[in-house]
Amino acid sequence: MAISARDLAASYAGRSVWSDATFDIEPGSFTAILGPNGSGKTTLIRMILGLLAPASGRIEVFGRTPRRGDPTIGYIPQRPGFDPELSIRGRDFVELGVDGWRWGVRLGGRAKAAAAAEASIEAVGAAGYADHPLGRVSGGEQQRLLLAQALVGSPRLLLMDEPLSYLDMRNQRTIVQLIRDLARRRGLTVLLIAHDVNPLLPYVDRVLYVAAGKIATGAPGEIITTERLSEIYSAPVEVIRDSHGRVFVVGLEEETSHPHA
């Protein structure tokens, strides 16, 4: 398995975040991590990255205990966008990802790093603005360059923390389709945290739902249902689909409410 968890639990400042999580993520799959704010979605990503130890249970990434700086993992953290005054070129930003997990002198030399960056930029369709200052390109273009940097080291696993949050609907769909296509071509396993499942529904294989101190996984049609979410929340929840196929969840308490579900 790409990721395997057994009886996994997370805590923060002595407080339980979630517990009793047992799940597998298959290699090459595209999984959406969903749930309300503060439920522990980013906590799970930090655990996979080796930045946070489990409170109990175990987790493995490609059969190994997670470790910091794992070159088999590409990661895009949550961010609201770059400062408009940031002058580093997109190309140079992508190149920083070649050996960004290492300390010391870049291995293989500058020419090898530049070639890897160029290939990654081409793969995400960012060649037309790769020489522009990073702070001056659009949100969608920045997201492509972030994706290029995460992929430049040819990882096997890609983790993304709310990459769609600051994009309009058109760019959300474009970026999700790009991620899906790249993942299929490269055999990548993708985990993507999202606040709204609707842009993802046509593309994801699995949903990992984090809420009320629990984690549940399965196909979208298995997890995002009135019955299953009511069970997860231990409270009445209703899943509604409109005439366009968009998903909405209603009936949650205000502090746990969110739009897709």
Side-chain angles (χ1 to χ4, degrees):
M1 289 293 149
I3 300 171
S4 182
R6 295 293 179 270
D7 301 317
L8 192 65
S11 62
Y12 181 76
R15 178 182 66 87
S16 176
V17 180
W18 39 258
S19 60
D20 300 321
T22 294
F23 61 87
D24 292 311
I25 303 294
E26 295 184 359
S29 61
F30 189 170
T31 299
I33 303 178
L34 307 173
N37 292 335
S39 59
K41 301 185 296 294
T42 299
T43 297
L44 175 60
I45 292 293
R46 286 174 53 81
M47 202 172 284
I48 295 169
L49 289 168
L51 302 177
L52 178 68
S56 62
R58 64 181 177 85
I59 184 169
E60 294 182 345
V61 178
F62 297 116
R64 303 187 302 268
T65 300
R67 65 188 191 278
R68 292 172 180 254
D70 187 342
T72 67
I73 301 177
Y75 174 49
I76 300 179
Q78 184 178 3
R79 64 176 73 227
F82 293 98
D83 188 319
E85 300 305 315
L86 185 61
S87 60
I88 183 173
R89 294 188 310 165
R91 182 179 310 281
D92 297 327
F93 173 77
V94 173
E95 192 173 321
L96 289 174
V98 173
D99 284 328
W101 56 279
R102 299 180 185 273
W103 293 100
V105 178
R106 170 174 286 147
L107 300 182
R110 176 63 188 275
K112 183 177 179 180
E118 180 64 27
S120 196
I121 289 166
E122 291 283 350
V124 302
Y129 43 85
D131 291 312
H132 295 178
L134 190 58
R136 301 294 179 88
V137 298
S138 72
E141 291 167 347
Q142 288 180 1
Q143 199 60 56
R144 285 178 184 259
L145 290 166
L146 282 163
L147 182 57
Q149 189 192 64
L151 296 177
V152 73
S154 299
R156 299 169 63 193
L157 172 64
L158 177 63
L159 307 177
M160 310 179 75
D161 194 344
E162 300 213 24
L164 309 180
S165 295
Y166 301 95
L167 303 179
D168 59 30
M169 186 61 70
R170 180 180 63 82
N171 274 309
Q172 286 181 3
R173 289 194 297 265
T174 299
I175 290 295
V176 173
Q177 185 170 1
L178 173 63
I179 293 165
R180 192 276 310 269
D181 291 347
L182 285 168
R184 286 184 174 178
R185 290 202 300 269
R186 298 181 176 213
L188 268 174
T189 305
V190 178
L191 274 71
L192 187 156
I193 294 177
H195 189 62
D196 183 0
V197 72
N198 288 299
L200 297 166
L201 275 176
Y203 306 105
V204 295
D205 304 305
R206 308 274 295 177
V207 164
L208 191 151
Y209 206 101
V210 186
K214 306 169 190 173
I215 290 180
T217 61
E222 297 171 350
I223 300 298
I224 308 175
T225 68
T226 295
E227 295 75 19
R228 192 72 177 95
L229 291 186
S230 295
E231 177 187 341
I232 292 168
Y233 280 100
S234 300
V237 173
E238 186 172 359
V239 176
I240 298 173
R241 286 176 168 80
D242 68 11
S243 60
H244 300 286
R246 292 174 299 188
V247 173
F248 301 89
V249 171
V250 296
L252 304 183
E253 296 296 329
E254 183 177 352
E255 62 268 22
T256 60
S257 179
H258 49 115
H260 72 266

